[in-house]
Amino acid sequence: MTPTTSDTTNRRHTSHWGAFTAAVQNGKLVGVTPFEKDSDPATYLKSIPGAVHSEARIAGPVVRKGWLENGPGGNRESRGAEPFVAVSWDNALDLVADELRRVKRDFRNESIMAGSYGWSSAGKFHHARTQLHRFMNCFGGFTGQIGTYSTAAATAIMPHVVGTATAALAGTSSKSISDHAQLMVCFGGLPLGNMQSAVGGVGDHDTLRWLREARANGCEFVSISPIREDMAEFIQAGWLQPKPNTDTAVMLALAHVLATESLHDEGFLSSHCVGYDSFERYVLGESDGQPKTPEWAAAISGTEADAIRSLARRMSSTRTMLTCTYSLQRGDHGEQPFWMVVVLAAMLGQIGLPGGGFAMGYGSIGVNRDAARDLSVPILPAGRNPVESSIPVARISDMLLHPGEPYQFNGMDCRYPDIKLVYWSGGNPFHHHQDVNRLIRAWQGPDTIIVNEPWWTATARHADIVLPATTSLERNDLSASAGDRFVMAMQKSVEPVGDARNDFDIFLGLARRLGIAEAFDEGRDEEAWVRHLYDLTHRFAAQRGVELPGFDAFWEQGFVEIPPPAKPFVMFDDFRSDPEEHPLRTPSGKVEIFSEKIAGFGYDDCPGHPVWQEPVEWLGAESAKRYPLHLISNQPSARLHSQMDQGSVSRDTKIRGREPITMHTDDATARGLADGDIARVFNDRGEVLAGVAISDGILPGVVALATGAWYDPLEPGKAGTLDIHGNPNVLTLDKGTSKLAQGPAAQSALVEIDRYDGVLPEITVFSQPTVIER
């Protein structure tokens, strides 16, 4: 499987943003050609060669100077500012192994955090988080993370409401929608850029195709978002522009219209749902004295009452699909809009109908949902974690700042563990996590932070021991996404850059030092593992009547295409046809509009049915007098999260080297700002520089600064310093969505903006930090 000089120009590969063929000259990746079956390739594939050979690559193992000289915890307050010392691989692995032994011996395994949240590789074998978890499970366990930053609130609420977290991640197939839906109401819109990526890769970006088919078949669209570009222009969608974080109020008003005008399906609510009566009393104002009328919602959201009333009537009169992007549940009380989408679909009585009901995540991730859904491609097994210690994914700073303190989560009374060692492999918490300045203070707590990473991200710069990892193009693997119709080979195209090693080899080196190598590798090397995972896929496919070629033929071809199912998938169609024979996995077996279980938790921020609760920060808050702009930290169009920010496509979108911030003409004029200016964006949590991009396609009072600009502080390692590049998480709020999910509330953030007239600092995050050779 290792390429030779003569065949490296035709190596198949894939990534989160699409499949391609790699072009190599003299051992260096010089270009990529999109997969021939991809109808709409992602534009930022062209960033891959520059990223692989980036100046920001980590050349070899290094150790922070203060840690090397003083041992664990040495000069921990200097993380991010202190130089590194180059060491050999043997030295680095010995140091890591010794430190793992020390922490396990003196503090037990729950004092080791191996969360490593992030997309890492699209591969099924070289998936960094799984590799780390497998290694740590062999070593005796670790403290992990529950949920994801993308969907934490959604995957917490959905099991209570419809019995499965997958309802937050998947839905009725796009073909069923294009064939049957007559109205698609999209809370958060359908941002096409988001649908260019998928966790396991995308063989064919078919979003444009099925959306055009839906339009040709008569489906109309309504986008409910403060940003016009959240829906493609060719769709010719209606546009409602609520203030951020007020979607739940709009949904409650839609429910009020359905209830008061007898447009709801009483039969479905009676046969397939529980708790509607309690919810209706709230909507009508009988339980709290406030009817949730369109006029009430208009005062909160800024959306016209007549527009809400008209939309409710349209929804009830035709086959309607309701969708909700993940962004809505990343705000304060983010559980509520996802719960309300289900309630609205239940009131319409369309759950389980072709092209009707609800689907979460459309517009958030690139899966076409028309592949053979029951054909699984196994990932490297991580094994069982012997340690019963984990935290909600976005509570990292809380854990590090408050070890031993109690907190509530999804009906459980929990305590934060006392973490002495953090091992990160795959992912970049200085991108994902909110309130970066608070994270910097929290990051100074552990004795040791170890990072496997290809590039000098902020996370690597704030580590004690940094081990250079390969990119996917420097190793062999295979990939597939649950909603895609291709299994793709990921063929090694170039040799490891610098002294990089793949995560499997790194952990195997540690496993040998710790006496757990046999349990970790099971006697298989990379090639044997990739063959093994494909052979399991081959076996599963045969059991389902799908014939796949043998491994050698698959590897030679570079991909295999799986035929679509004969019948497009419709979520909950069996439950709709017979709720007694196919009950949901909820306590009642039905859709829980009111949840006795959640009510029993006694949470003041998440009661037993959907409600409107004011976010801690929004345009109706008292704090809006000081900070009158609502910051949306949406997904970027030129990269995936922070991945590929060092690539040419992302860097070409910068304004004088800074991440662009989109703002309405009126807001810019009021602050004396023009297109191309550099602005200081600030609140009580921090300040960043960003380039001004003026648009009439955004709601006045709202600004959008995409996630993923690599954190580049003016004074490295110091909390509170100016970020000169435009990382929005310097500004976002580090607060749980509620006690139920404790998800990230990044979309609840207020800021102010003024012009930056100082000397513009040079961006340094894409270059090398100081490394001392010894």
Side-chain angles (χ1 to χ4, degrees):
M1 293 168 64
T2 301
T4 64
T5 304
S6 61
D7 68 2
T8 52
T9 55
N10 294 306
R11 305 299 289 180
R12 296 278 192 177
H13 209 77
T14 195
S15 63
H16 299 306
W17 38 89
F20 57 89
T21 299
V24 177
Q25 292 179 3
N26 299 320
K28 186 174 181 179
L29 184 68
V30 295
V32 299
T33 302
F35 182 42
E36 62 267 25
K37 292 181 177 286
D38 192 344
S39 58
D40 182 30
T43 56
Y44 42 101
L45 282 175
K46 66 178 69 172
S47 283
I48 292 175
V52 170
H53 301 289
S54 167
E55 182 187 352
R57 285 297 296 266
I58 300 169
V62 297
V63 181
R64 185 173 59 82
K65 185 174 182 290
W67 193 98
L68 188 64
E69 293 176 348
N70 302 307
N75 293 17
R76 70 182 79 196
E77 70 281 356
S78 297
R79 286 182 181 132
E82 205 169 32
F84 293 92
V85 178
V87 297
S88 68
W89 266 108
D90 282 342
N91 191 359
L93 294 176
D94 286 344
L95 290 171
V96 173
D98 288 345
E99 180 62 355
L100 286 168
R101 287 193 196 97
R102 182 190 74 86
V103 174
K104 179 175 183 174
R105 180 191 66 234
D106 295 348
F107 304 103
R108 301 188 303 180
N109 283 70
E110 70 174 18
S111 292
I112 302 172
M113 182 189 181
S116 299
Y117 172 77
W119 282 54
S120 60
S121 169
K124 294 294 185 178
F125 175 63
H126 288 293
H127 184 257
R129 187 171 190 249
T130 306
Q131 289 278 353
L132 173 60
H133 285 185
R134 179 180 175 87
F135 165 74
M136 289 305 311
N137 286 336
C138 293
F139 185 63
F142 61 95
T143 288
Q145 294 164 282
I146 300 171
T148 72
Y149 281 86
S150 296
T151 62
T155 52
I157 191 66
M158 282 300 178
H160 294 289
V161 180
V162 293
T164 175
T166 59
L169 308 173
T172 293
S173 75
S174 51
K175 180 167 178 54
S176 179
I177 295 173
S178 63
D179 286 349
H180 298 283
Q182 293 301 300
L183 177 64
M184 198 165 180
V185 180
C186 306
F187 292 93
L190 287 174
L192 291 181
N194 294 355
M195 292 185 277
Q196 290 288 82
S197 305
V199 174
V202 184
D204 180 19
H205 295 88
D206 75 338
T207 300
L208 286 177
R209 182 170 64 245
W210 75 258
L211 286 175
R212 288 192 171 106
E213 289 174 355
R215 285 291 295 140
N217 291 340
C219 184
E220 297 181 344
F221 292 76
V222 175
S223 177
I224 303 177
S225 168
I227 302 174
R228 183 167 57 207
E229 289 183 357
D230 280 344
M231 185 70 77
E233 186 175 350
F234 78 86
I235 296 176
Q236 299 178 306
W239 184 27
L240 302 185
Q241 307 165 57
K243 298 173 184 175
N245 289 190
T246 66
D247 298 80
T248 299
V250 173
M251 295 178 192
L252 287 166
L254 291 168
H256 186 276
V257 175
L258 296 176
T260 56
E261 297 187 7
S262 299
L263 301 177
H264 56 312
D265 189 328
E266 293 182 349
F268 185 85
L269 291 169
S270 175
S271 60
H272 289 74
C273 307
V274 296
Y276 174 72
D277 291 344
S278 296
F279 171 75
E280 186 181 73
R281 287 194 295 273
Y282 170 75
V283 168
L284 298 180
E286 296 171 0
S287 61
D288 68 348
Q290 175 59 68
K292 310 308 179 293
T293 63
E295 286 74 19
W296 166 84
I300 292 170
S301 69
T303 305
E304 292 183 2
D306 286 345
I308 296 173
R309 193 171 283 110
S310 173
L311 179 58
R313 292 167 181 165
R314 288 176 65 192
M315 286 162 49
S316 68
S317 65
T318 191
R319 184 62 55 86
T320 300
M321 173 60 71
L322 304 177
T323 71
C324 194
T325 58
Y326 295 156
S327 58
L328 268 66
Q329 52 89 61
R330 288 200 295 269
D332 199 15
H333 312 299
E335 300 84 0
Q336 302 305 311
F338 266 52
W339 199 346
M340 264 309 302
V341 164
V342 177
V343 172
L344 284 174
M347 292 181 71
L348 296 173
Q350 296 193 30
I351 293 175
L353 290 178
F358 69 91
M360 309 305 190
Y362 277 101
S364 299
I365 195 167
V367 289
N368 61 33
R369 305 169 195 258
D370 286 326
R373 301 179 60 86
D374 58 350
L375 178 58
S376 61
V377 178
I379 196 167
L380 174 73
R384 186 186 68 86
N385 187 353
V387 173
E388 294 182 1
S389 177
S390 58
I391 63 166
V393 65
R395 302 275 56 83
I396 298 171
S397 291
D398 284 355
M399 174 188 68
L400 296 178
L401 289 168
H402 306 293
E405 288 197 8
Y407 67 97
Q408 293 177 299
F409 170 56
N410 209 355
M412 298 179 288
D413 293 321
C414 309
R415 286 186 181 273
Y416 290 119
D418 187 1
I419 298 299
K420 301 298 182 182
L421 184 151
V422 173
Y423 200 137
W424 215 273
S425 178
N428 181 6
F430 281 79
H431 152 64
H432 275 110
H433 198 68
Q434 285 66 61
D435 196 344
V436 168
N437 288 312
R438 185 170 186 254
L439 177 64
I440 289 172
R441 292 188 287 270
W443 210 246
Q444 294 172 354
D447 293 344
T448 301
I449 296 173
I450 304 163
V451 171
N452 294 5
E453 175 62 51
W455 298 281
W456 278 114
T457 65
T459 301
R461 292 168 187 264
H462 286 80
D464 298 315
I465 303 174
V466 183
L467 305 178
T470 55
T471 67
S472 68
L473 281 137
E474 297 152 63
R475 58 203 186 211
N476 293 298
D477 210 335
L478 75 163
S479 74
S481 288
D484 195 58
R485 69 181 191 275
F486 295 95
V487 178
M488 306 295 303
M490 299 176 67
Q491 300 169 344
K492 181 178 178 180
S493 302
V494 295
E495 291 301 317
V497 172
D499 206 12
R501 295 183 181 179
N502 66 57
D503 292 298
F504 177 70
D505 287 340
I506 293 171
F507 291 125
L508 183 57
L510 292 172
R512 287 170 177 155
R513 286 165 170 79
L514 296 168
I516 55 175
E518 185 176 350
F520 177 72
D521 70 2
E522 297 184 22
R524 297 187 181 98
D525 60 9
E526 175 194 79
E527 179 174 354
W529 269 111
V530 173
R531 284 180 176 273
H532 175 66
L533 294 176
Y534 183 82
D535 289 344
L536 290 176
T537 304
H538 191 280
R539 190 183 313 162
F540 294 156
Q543 292 171 356
R544 290 157 177 77
V546 177
E547 184 177 351
L548 300 183
F551 178 81
D552 290 335
F554 157 71
W555 198 255
E556 177 67 24
Q557 174 69 17
F559 68 92
V560 60
E561 186 170 356
I562 302 169
K567 178 184 176 184
F569 177 76
V570 176
M571 188 163 65
F572 298 130
D573 57 348
D574 54 354
F575 165 68
R576 179 185 184 85
S577 64
D578 192 335
E580 301 298 327
E581 183 68 22
H582 301 284
L584 303 180
R585 294 195 296 272
T586 58
S588 64
K590 298 181 179 182
V591 177
E592 302 228 343
I593 295 175
F594 180 93
S595 169
E596 294 282 359
K597 187 173 182 179
I598 292 178
F601 297 158
Y603 296 156
D604 57 355
D605 54 6
C606 190
H609 61 67
V611 295
W612 158 252
Q613 292 183 320
E614 286 197 30
V616 64
E617 292 187 23
W618 69 297
L619 291 176
E622 182 68 22
S623 55
K625 295 177 182 177
R626 288 185 64 203
Y627 298 113
L629 299 172
H630 194 120
L631 174 68
I632 296 294
S633 49
N634 54 355
Q635 291 302 322
S637 60
R639 58 181 179 267
L640 170 60
H641 303 308
S642 65
Q643 287 194 23
M644 312 297 283
D645 191 35
Q646 77 278 43
S648 59
V649 177
S650 180
R651 294 173 78 166
D652 285 348
T653 68
K654 310 283 183 175
I655 297 175
R656 296 165 68 187
R658 324 294 137 166
E659 189 68 19
I661 186 166
T662 303
M663 58 192 309
H664 191 272
T665 304
D666 295 347
D667 294 323
T669 300
R671 291 160 177 80
L673 294 168
D675 258 325
D677 283 348
I678 300 301
R680 183 178 70 104
V681 190
F682 62 96
N683 58 21
D684 290 338
R685 290 179 288 274
E687 56 181 348
V688 308
L689 298 184
V692 175
I694 297 175
S695 170
D696 289 330
I698 190 169
L699 184 70
V702 177
V703 294
L705 180 64
T707 64
W710 288 11
Y711 174 62
D712 197 356
L714 190 61
E715 298 179 65
K718 181 180 178 181
T721 190
L722 175 71
D723 169 47
I724 64 175
H725 194 200
N727 183 329
N729 277 330
V730 171
L731 307 164
T732 53
L733 179 68
D734 188 13
K735 172 192 177 297
T737 52
S738 79
K739 297 180 185 72
L740 184 83
Q742 294 285 4
Q747 301 292 17
S748 298
L750 297 176
V751 300
E752 181 56 290
I753 298 178
D754 59 24
R755 191 206 313 273
Y756 181 81
D757 291 322
V759 176
L760 203 56
E762 181 182 355
I763 299 297
T764 63
V765 73
F766 299 130
S767 57
Q768 297 281 317
T770 301
V771 176
I772 302 169
E773 300 293 335
R774 55 166 201 170

